[in-house]
């Protein structure tokens, strides 16, 4: 289960992407999380996924 709070989610997702997954798609495929839901939640705090950097900025 991933954090519901956007700030905690940001930290959690970026750590996972940095240390364990080559892409957001790979993270979602492995964990069964909804990519669109993650992107929407982080957009609430103006963070968007950068494929080249593999992190939310």
């Amino acid at each position: 289960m991933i954090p519901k709070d956007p700030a905690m989610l940001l930290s959690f997702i970026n750590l996972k992407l940095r240390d364990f997954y080559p892409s957001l798609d790979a993270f979602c495929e492995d964990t069964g999380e909804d990519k669109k839901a993650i992107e929407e939640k982080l957009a609430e705090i103006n963070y968007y996924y950068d494929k080249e950097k593999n992190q939310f900025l």
Side-chain angles (χ1 to χ4, degrees), residues 13-32:
I13 291 291
N14 276 343
L15 174 124
K16 293 292 188 179
L17 294 174
R18 182 188 70 226
D19 293 347
F20 302 106
Y21 294 98
S23 69
L24 180 58
D25 288 326
F27 169 80
C28 291
E29 183 178 316
D30 188 49
T31 62

